[in-house]
Amino acid sequence: MSYVRHVEQFHGLPVFTFPPYADPRDLPAPDTVAWRLHRGPYATDEGSESYWRRFTESVRLEEVRALALGSPWYDDQGGDDLDGLTGLRSRFTGLEAVFLGDLEDEEAMISTIDLDDVSELLEAFPGLRELAVRGGDGLAFPTAGHANLRVLRVESGGLPPEAAAQIAAAPLPSLERLELWLGDEEYGGGTTAEDLLPLFAGEGKPALRHLGLQNSPEQDALAAALATAPVVRRLTSLSLSMGTLGDEGAQALLEGQSLAHLRELDLSHHYLSHDMMLRIWTELEPQGVRVDLTARQEEEDTYDEDEPRRFISVSE
């Protein structure tokens, strides 16, 4: 089980948590950091409305490039109100990146972080370049897409299949990097290769160069689908990490279309045999593909099942 921590860098900027009762004279220049708005489990008695008001009064919002929202905006208590942010769209004129759900394990399990439809956020900020989301419960993505989004990352222990399908079908003409942690069905996931067919076909995302379909118990099936998927031809890097990839999926990748054009292939946290690992290295590394096969896993016995199980990296 991997541990989910607060993001330390976002949109190429160091993350700075807006402190309680901050003196504006002690704050960094607005465009030099990604601003984390998070009261945390040990917050002072200052209310969230006061905390938000102080931020909007202390920082030149037109110069803010990136925001990371934690509690109470996104948590396991139903906090997902972005009206304060979207209502100030006329002041956040330089906003390029938003991270929703910047919480770590001690604050909320990733499978319980409440989310919502991000359509209003994307509509309010047409110039947004990067959107990161942690959680999955309740997430919905606009089928209308977004013209300028370049990076989309969803970290989830159980991404709803409907949301994954919406992202796969959405027109995102500027998108260069897409990373989806698909998660376990027991925690709201269950995405299959069929849900992602528009993505595999390369529809609506002509600029895509990195694709991550990660943290899935269906990793072998996803690998088999990617083995013949047209989208792979335009990629420079591919990640099938954090999941249950075994020899069957790896063999499908090797026997499918050429992967020699890739710079990186991330298969870390896998269930490959040593023979298959050697085969991957032997076939791909001489072609210039940097392959990550770290974090090899062993199937585990469980108390309530007859057969050993494979586990994804992040679920609960």
Side-chain angles (χ1 to χ4, degrees), residues 72-88:
W73 288 270
Y74 282 86
D75 54 29
D76 58 0
Q77 305 298 321
D80 57 4
D81 186 2
L82 287 177
D83 290 346
L85 175 57
T86 57
L88 292 175

Side-chain angles (χ1 to χ4, degrees), residues 1-2 4 110 154-159 179-185 189-191 212-219 222 239-245 268-269 311-316:
M1 176 66 68
S2 296
V4 179
I110 193 170
V154 182
E155 302 177 357
S156 179
L159 179 62
E179 183 174 325
L180 303 178
W181 298 11
L182 299 174
D184 197 294
E185 189 172 7
T191 298
L213 298 177
Q214 300 160 243
N215 200 46
S216 173
E218 298 295 325
Q219 214 74 65
L222 294 173
S239 178
L240 292 169
S241 65
M242 303 174 64
T244 61
L245 184 70
S268 58
H269 188 281
F311 292 91
I312 60 176
S313 180
V314 176
S315 56
E316 191 173 17

Side-chain angles (χ1 to χ4, degrees), residues 276-288:
M276 181 56 72
M277 293 171 65
L278 180 60
R279 181 182 170 190
I280 291 172
W281 275 319
T282 301
E283 294 192 21
L284 295 181
E285 295 253 343
Q287 300 185 71

Side-chain angles (χ1 to χ4, degrees), residues 153-177:
R153 173 185 174 95
V154 182
E155 302 177 357
S156 179
L159 179 62
E162 297 82 2
Q166 289 164 352
I167 293 170
L172 298 167
S174 301
L175 194 69
E176 298 171 1
R177 295 183 62 86

Side-chain angles (χ1 to χ4, degrees), residues 37-49:
L37 297 172
H38 177 68
R39 294 175 64 241
Y42 308 110
T44 66
D45 57 0
E46 181 182 26
S48 57
E49 291 185 7

